[in-house]
Amino acid sequence: MHSRDLIEQYKSYVQDWRRYFHKYPELSNEEFETTKTLAKELEAMGVEVQMDTDCGTGLIGIIRGDKTGKAIALRADIDALPVQEHNTFDFKSDVDGKMHACGHDGHMAILLGAAKMLMSMKDRIEGTVYLAFQPAEETGAGAPDFIKFGDWYEKIDAIFGGHVWIDLPAGFISVEEGPRMAASSIFNIKVTGKQGHGAQPHQAVDAVVVASAIVLNLQTVVSRNVSALDSVVVTIGNIHSGTEWNVIPGEATMGGTVRFFDPHQEEYIVDSIRRIVEYTAAAYGATAELNYEKRVPPTINDPTSSELAERVVIDTLGADKISKMRKVMPGEDFAWYLQEKPGCFAFIGIQNPDVEATYDHHNNRFTMDDSVLSAASAVYAEYAIAWLQENK
């Protein structure tokens, strides 16, 4: 039996689970009931389950093939976002202020579907498949913490995962090699000036003016400090300063993010930001301090893994379902797994105007065409089988 032969059989199964998880979202590191539900369903299939009892969130499912061999992991993230859902369909979030606004409900359903398929094809599995249901992807720290859970990461020889993607038409899959998602870092800036009376600005050092100048000057990091051929983003997402209408504030804080694809550029980018922040503040008679925190590295697909993934998609769904898609600037903590293991991260198209699946990820109207998810399950399952067969 081939995975493609099970797509229709498990179509409703995968859809139903996606909608169940969508209705009952849980935030990062709070996925307690989600983890219990996943464990119960996997155990009902006959899958061996290892739960992270210390944290209460996240689990590993283990499927051992009829033949011995190496090990591969298939990964799904399981956390939702603190977003108030504005959709009106009957499976909309039942939890106030929480929503699967990124698609992780679909990822869990896809991996459950893949587990079903793999359990019915154990005679084709030449090794072991680990099912990694990882918490807290949205924090950027979920994967590094999950790597430390048990010995599953140490035992695997490769890993495969994916993300449903709203910019890709439903049913298409992208598995190109090389950079796919950007590194994601955060930074905070504290500006210190001198508080004063709003009517006597000459006796103060206005932190609002200094912060504004820093924001404008930071635009030159991308436009004048980085090659136009490279993809880099520097964004200020918040500014906080002052409380009164007639008081010149002496302090201001700002927060932002940096995105890039080339890890070798990071030090230069950060040095450029720090230089602009400190010297701009000094020009106004103020000081400024930059604190930089790396969240996730860039997600870079291994060429050999991507080549196999493309063959699997063509074999399972047909050559017309392969799509070439540009790399994107959002970050993904799947990148941490690829630091030491070869693997591929796929984009799974879910866009379909007929079901209003057109809103961007993290939008309060985000949804997906979940009729195509069982096809993704088949790709996951077939990739695991093919990798184990080709890497004895």
Side-chain angles (χ1 to χ4, degrees), residues 18-19 21-25 81-101 105 362-368:
R18 178 258 159 170
R19 296 180 181 192
F21 290 125
H22 191 89
K23 191 171 184 178
Y24 302 107
L81 286 161
V83 172
Q84 183 66 46
E85 182 156 15
H86 286 192
N87 288 312
T88 58
F89 40 64
D90 58 4
F91 57 91
K92 68 180 179 11
S93 174
D94 202 39
V95 185
D96 190 50
K98 301 177 184 179
M99 175 189 175
H100 271 294
D105 49 346
H362 294 209
N363 187 284
N364 53 24
R365 293 289 306 279
F366 174 81
T367 190
M368 68 183 75

Side-chain angles (χ1 to χ4, degrees), residues 59-60 70-77 111 128-134 142-144 146-147 152-162 175 299-309 332-346 379-381 383-385 387-388 391:
L59 63 84
I60 294 292
K70 292 187 176 181
I72 186 172
L74 303 176
R75 177 269 203 169
D77 38 15
L111 194 48
T128 305
V129 181
Y130 286 81
L131 311 172
F133 289 90
Q134 176 217 306
F146 204 54
I147 285 172
W152 73 275
Y153 186 71
E154 178 184 340
K155 288 184 174 180
I156 65 169
D157 300 290
I159 189 165
F160 182 86
V175 291
T299 303
I300 302 175
N301 282 347
D302 167 61
T304 302
S305 300
S306 287
E307 187 275 331
L308 172 59
E332 164 61 60
D333 77 355
F334 185 88
W336 288 112
Y337 300 125
L338 298 178
Q339 296 296 289
E340 296 184 15
K341 308 286 182 175
C344 178
F345 192 74
V379 170
Y380 276 52
Y383 183 92
I385 291 170
W387 192 93
L388 291 171
N391 292 273

Side-chain angles (χ1 to χ4, degrees), residues 50-54 57-60 144-153:
Q50 296 177 353
M51 293 180 62
D52 189 346
T53 54
D54 290 339
T57 62
L59 63 84
I60 294 292
D145 288 342
F146 204 54
I147 285 172
K148 301 172 186 174
F149 164 54
D151 60 359
W152 73 275
Y153 186 71

Side-chain angles (χ1 to χ4, degrees), residues 81 110 112 153 158 190 297 335 343:
L81 286 161
I110 288 169
L112 283 179
Y153 186 71
K190 182 179 179 180

Side-chain angles (χ1 to χ4, degrees), residues 154-328:
E154 178 184 340
K155 288 184 174 180
I156 65 169
D157 300 290
I159 189 165
F160 182 86
H163 204 303
V164 294
W165 208 250
I166 201 63
D167 296 325
L168 200 60
F172 289 89
I173 296 181
S174 165
V175 291
E176 290 103 302
E177 66 177 78
R180 305 308 298 139
M181 300 186 79
S184 174
S185 301
I186 64 174
F187 63 86
N188 291 283
I189 301 167
K190 182 179 179 180
V191 176
T192 302
K194 181 181 177 183
Q195 188 168 312
H197 197 292
Q200 301 184 106
H202 63 288
Q203 295 181 1
V205 177
D206 193 335
V208 170
V209 172
V210 178
S212 300
I214 289 173
V215 172
L216 292 176
N217 288 342
L218 281 177
Q219 307 310 305
T220 64
V221 173
V222 174
S223 67
R224 290 297 180 270
N225 287 267
V226 177
S227 169
L229 300 178
D230 294 324
S231 300
V232 176
V233 168
V234 178
T235 294
I236 296 292
N238 64 70
I239 303 179
H240 303 280
S241 185
T243 58
E244 300 296 334
W245 63 276
N246 63 345
V247 177
I248 293 174
E251 292 187 348
T253 59
M254 293 177 280
T257 184
V258 179
R259 307 296 171 103
F260 56 91
F261 291 99
D262 183 355
H264 300 100
Q265 285 186 312
E266 182 172 23
E267 183 177 356
Y268 174 73
I269 294 169
V270 177
D271 286 346
S272 298
I273 293 172
R274 192 181 307 279
R275 183 185 70 250
I276 289 170
V277 167
E278 292 179 354
Y279 281 90
T280 299
Y284 286 83
T287 61
E289 179 183 359
L290 172 72
N291 289 307
Y292 179 85
E293 179 186 343
K294 182 174 182 175
R295 283 296 180 92
V296 298
T299 303
I300 302 175
N301 282 347
D302 167 61
T304 302
S305 300
S306 287
E307 187 275 331
L308 172 59
E310 181 168 339
R311 283 192 281 116
V312 166
V313 173
I314 292 172
D315 180 48
T316 306
L317 307 180
D320 60 329
K321 295 303 182 183
I322 281 284
S323 176
K324 300 297 182 182
M325 193 181 102
R326 291 190 300 177
K327 57 190 179 184
V328 296

